[in-house]
Amino acid sequence: MKDKDKTNIPDPDSEDKKLDIQKSVFQVNKELRQQQEDKLKKQQEELERQYAEREKKKREEYEKQLQNERIELMRMKQGLIDESETIKEEQPEEIKLSLPKKIGNFFFHNKWWLGIGAFFVFLISFLLYDLLSKPNPDMVILMLCPNESISSSVYLESYFSELGIDSNNNGKVLVSVYYIPYSDDEYQNYTKGVTNKLTTFLNNADGVVIIGDKTTVTDLLVPEESLVDLSKIYPDNPHVKDYYFYLKDTDFAQRLGIPDSEIPDDLYFAIRKPKDLINSSKEDMQATYDKDFPVFNKIVNDLT
């Protein structure tokens, strides 16, 4: 019984050995870690030292170069030397771009100018197209009085074109009627832009044949100065009186497909005298007169 109890009693020496063994393992790990940290620290310090030495060397070399350049510059200013081997202008390295990159670079740096140029090209192209595509009439008739029934008739220009002559040799006959509804109502004249139109067309040689009424010759044209005396050309025509071929009681309304009542008593055809104008010479107006009078004569004979 005593022996059995002895075997269960812990041995103090054996416990101490276990503690010593465990302690030594921990101590070894700690020492190893410390050694590793010391090694890494030394390596870091060595790298920092080397970096500091390189930077110091670069700085010293740069300062030395600056000092040498200052000396060379002073010597050049004093005329001791003509050219320095130390101070050299560095030429920028030429960057070679491929063709697509050159094109893209050009558009990028000039996009505003290219945009403005494109706008003006578009505008000029549009104006040229409008000018070239616009019909070029063989004859122009100026209607200088208000009459919506006549001006809106679909047969107005076609009637005159049937009697017209292909004076511009384009294979077509086109007579254009420019409607300028001048009246004694100044407000209506202003709102419809009549004054500007009169200034334009009465001062150029494009139209010598006119359709007018009493107000036309009262306010715009002095008959003795501006119109041809038709009574000398058509002395036996019952519709001709002085400078006017009156349209009342002719077939003019029938030709246009409108009621006879839409033709007032003072409505007439007349033709302007060739003379010098603001925008045209007498010779230009004479050329238009010579071209348009045969058509005017056809109209008078057709309506008589």
Side-chain angles (χ1 to χ4, degrees), residues 61-73:
E61 291 177 353
Y62 179 70
E63 291 176 354
K64 183 179 180 181
Q65 181 182 356
L66 289 178
Q67 181 65 23
N68 292 336
E69 289 180 356
R70 281 195 290 267
I71 294 173
E72 290 288 306
L73 186 60

Side-chain angles (χ1 to χ4, degrees), residues 16-234:
D16 292 338
K17 290 179 181 179
K18 289 181 180 181
L19 291 174
D20 292 339
I21 292 172
Q22 291 178 356
K23 181 179 179 182
S24 61
V25 171
F26 290 132
Q27 184 67 31
V28 169
N29 289 336
K30 182 178 180 181
E31 291 175 355
L32 289 174
R33 283 196 302 272
Q34 185 65 40
Q35 291 176 3
Q36 186 68 20
E37 290 176 359
D38 293 341
K39 183 178 180 181
L40 292 173
K41 185 177 180 181
K42 289 180 179 180
Q43 291 177 350
Q44 181 67 26
E45 291 175 351
E46 179 62 22
L47 292 174
E48 291 177 355
R49 185 188 64 79
Q50 293 178 2
Y51 176 77
E53 288 182 357
R54 287 196 300 270
E55 290 300 313
K56 181 181 179 182
K57 186 176 181 180
K58 288 181 181 179
R59 187 167 56 253
E60 290 175 350
E61 291 177 353
Y62 179 70
E63 291 176 354
K64 183 179 180 181
Q65 181 182 356
L66 289 178
Q67 181 65 23
N68 292 336
E69 289 180 356
R70 281 195 290 267
I71 294 173
E72 290 288 306
L73 186 60
M74 292 178 63
R75 294 177 66 190
M76 290 176 64
K77 288 182 177 180
Q78 293 172 359
L80 300 177
I81 57 175
D82 296 330
E83 185 177 355
S84 173
E85 295 182 357
T86 304
I87 304 175
K88 295 182 179 179
E89 184 179 357
E90 294 184 0
Q91 298 294 334
E93 184 180 355
E94 183 180 358
I95 301 175
K96 295 183 179 180
L97 299 176
S98 62
L99 181 59
K101 288 186 177 180
K102 287 182 179 179
I103 296 174
N105 189 55
F106 172 79
F107 279 98
F108 177 78
H109 286 92
N110 298 278
K111 52 183 177 291
W112 288 107
W113 291 111
L114 290 172
I116 295 172
F119 169 76
F120 281 105
V121 169
F122 171 78
L123 181 62
I124 293 171
S125 300
F126 175 79
L127 294 176
L128 287 175
Y129 173 79
D130 183 66
L131 178 64
L132 295 175
S133 61
K134 188 176 182 179
N136 184 22
D138 299 283
M139 177 180 176
V140 171
I141 297 177
L142 304 178
M143 185 172 178
L144 306 178
C145 57
N147 192 308
E148 293 294 333
S149 297
I150 294 176
S151 65
S152 61
S153 172
V154 295
Y155 302 107
L156 180 62
E157 291 187 343
S158 61
Y159 167 65
F160 294 128
S161 297
E162 289 176 1
L163 301 174
I165 299 172
D166 183 15
S167 58
N168 56 20
N169 299 316
N170 65 352
K172 299 179 181 179
V173 178
L174 175 62
V175 176
S176 295
V177 179
Y178 293 169
Y179 181 50
I180 308 173
Y182 178 80
S183 69
D184 54 7
D185 188 334
E186 294 184 1
Y187 178 75
Q188 289 294 327
N189 291 336
Y190 173 77
T191 57
K192 295 179 180 179
V194 169
T195 304
N196 292 334
K197 293 178 182 178
L198 287 173
T199 302
T200 300
F201 291 108
L202 291 181
N203 285 295
N204 66 51
D206 291 340
V208 296
V209 177
I210 67 170
I211 302 173
D213 60 11
K214 182 179 180 180
T215 306
T216 305
V217 291
T218 301
D219 297 346
L220 299 179
L221 302 171
V222 178
E224 294 79 8
E225 297 178 2
S226 302
L227 301 180
V228 174
D229 188 350
L230 298 181
S231 63
K232 296 179 180 179
I233 302 174
Y234 307 101

